[in-house]
Amino acid sequence: MCTNAESGYPLFWSTFENFDEYFHQSLEECCMAVFGTDKCQYDDVCSTPIPTYSPSETVTAKPTKRPTQKPVTESPIVPPKKKASCEKSARWHPTPGMEACSNSLDFPIAWLYEDGNYLHSTSEECCLEHFNDRKDCVVEEVCTYRLAEGEEIDSIEHDDSTCRSSIPWHPSSLVDKCSNGLDFPHKWIYDERYDHFLQGSAADCCSEYFFSRGIDCIVEDVCIQTVSYTG
């Protein structure tokens, strides 16, 4: 059966490796892809009628002798915002695609045990070791923290004069965290079918992919800079 329901499907269908296989722009495309015909059984959640009961009766409440008291409302207690603090970061290393130096936790585990000079104490050491033949070195500084549903956290304050323009928040390729880094398919920006992958804030991304499943969200806040080092 083909459906346009927004939930009830396995989460791995939403990863960018599987999205095109399971999601389609029309009912006909879904039927053709799954059943080999342009007509098939379907569930259109937008056209499901709301059940009504007839005949309908209007019940008029009897007037009360005592005046109705106005309900007492209390102002909601808004918890203070917490400052985001970076929980985890790795030693500096080249990204797996050798585009930049990064302190993210995403690198081959084998690098911890190899004598290949992949892990460094500073971004400068990483740039000089791996990108010394280039004029500039791209540095990806990552701050990782945990966000719970309903929790208000001030985002990391980056220096706009050095950090590149903001990247939309999006789930990681394994859908295990929300990030504003460059590691996502750029077709998400130009194809409206992928709009739901890109969010305006970390909280929006977390709400879409993690809070809806009742779990906390790992946030990866990235500042990308281009620097020059000379060996």
Side-chain angles (χ1 to χ4, degrees):
M1 177 188 295
C2 286
T3 181
N4 56 355
E6 294 183 354
S7 59
Y9 56 83
L11 186 62
F12 75 88
W13 287 10
S14 295
T15 60
F16 56 77
E17 295 92 345
N18 299 317
F19 186 82
D20 289 333
E21 181 177 354
Y22 294 102
F23 293 88
H24 308 277
Q25 290 185 298
S26 67
L27 171 62
E28 289 75 14
E29 286 186 12
C30 177
C31 290
M32 184 62 69
V34 179
F35 302 103
T37 175
D38 60 355
K39 298 185 186 304
C40 65
Q41 188 177 6
Y42 66 91
D43 175 26
D44 186 351
V45 298
C46 297
S47 63
T48 304
I50 301 175
T52 58
Y53 299 91
S54 60
S56 58
E57 296 181 358
T58 303
V59 179
T60 305
K62 294 181 179 180
T64 58
K65 295 181 180 180
R66 296 179 180 178
T68 304
Q69 296 180 347
K70 293 183 178 181
V72 178
T73 58
E74 296 181 357
S75 299
I77 299 175
V78 179
K81 282 188 176 183
K82 296 195 306 183
K83 283 288 186 182
S85 58
C86 305
E87 295 180 359
K88 296 179 180 179
S89 61
R91 298 180 67 192
W92 290 91
H93 56 82
T95 55
M98 300 299 289
E99 305 96 352
C101 279
S102 172
N103 65 341
S104 77
L105 297 172
D106 296 328
F107 63 89
I109 191 77
W111 288 3
L112 292 171
Y113 310 102
E114 290 182 1
D115 249 347
N117 294 324
Y118 290 110
L119 304 180
H120 308 275
S121 300
T122 65
S123 59
E124 181 176 3
E125 290 179 6
C126 175
C127 286
L128 292 176
E129 176 69 27
H130 301 283
F131 304 105
N132 195 31
D133 58 335
R134 303 182 188 179
K135 179 181 178 182
D136 297 317
C137 177
V138 177
V139 174
E140 179 186 75
E141 186 172 6
V142 177
C143 174
T144 304
Y145 60 92
R146 183 179 298 272
L147 185 63
E149 185 172 9
E151 193 172 28
E152 292 287 335
I153 292 184
D154 280 334
S155 59
I156 304 297
E157 293 184 1
H158 296 302
D159 185 350
D160 292 336
S161 64
T162 57
C163 290
R164 292 186 185 177
S165 57
S166 179
I167 302 298
W169 286 91
H170 54 82
S172 62
S173 58
L174 297 178
V175 196
D176 59 355
K177 60 189 172 187
C178 283
S179 172
N180 62 344
L182 289 170
D183 185 20
F184 70 98
H186 290 180
K187 67 179 179 180
W188 287 4
I189 295 177
Y190 307 108
D191 193 330
E192 63 182 11
R193 291 181 300 166
Y194 302 96
D195 283 350
H196 67 285
F197 282 123
L198 305 178
Q199 307 290 333
S201 68
D204 290 342
C205 177
C206 289
S207 178
E208 177 76 17
Y209 290 95
F210 298 96
F211 298 159
S212 58
R213 294 187 284 148
I215 59 177
D216 289 350
C217 176
I218 303 299
V219 177
E220 182 183 77
D221 198 326
V222 180
C223 172
I224 301 173
Q225 307 175 57
T226 301
V227 297
S228 297
Y229 293 123
T230 56

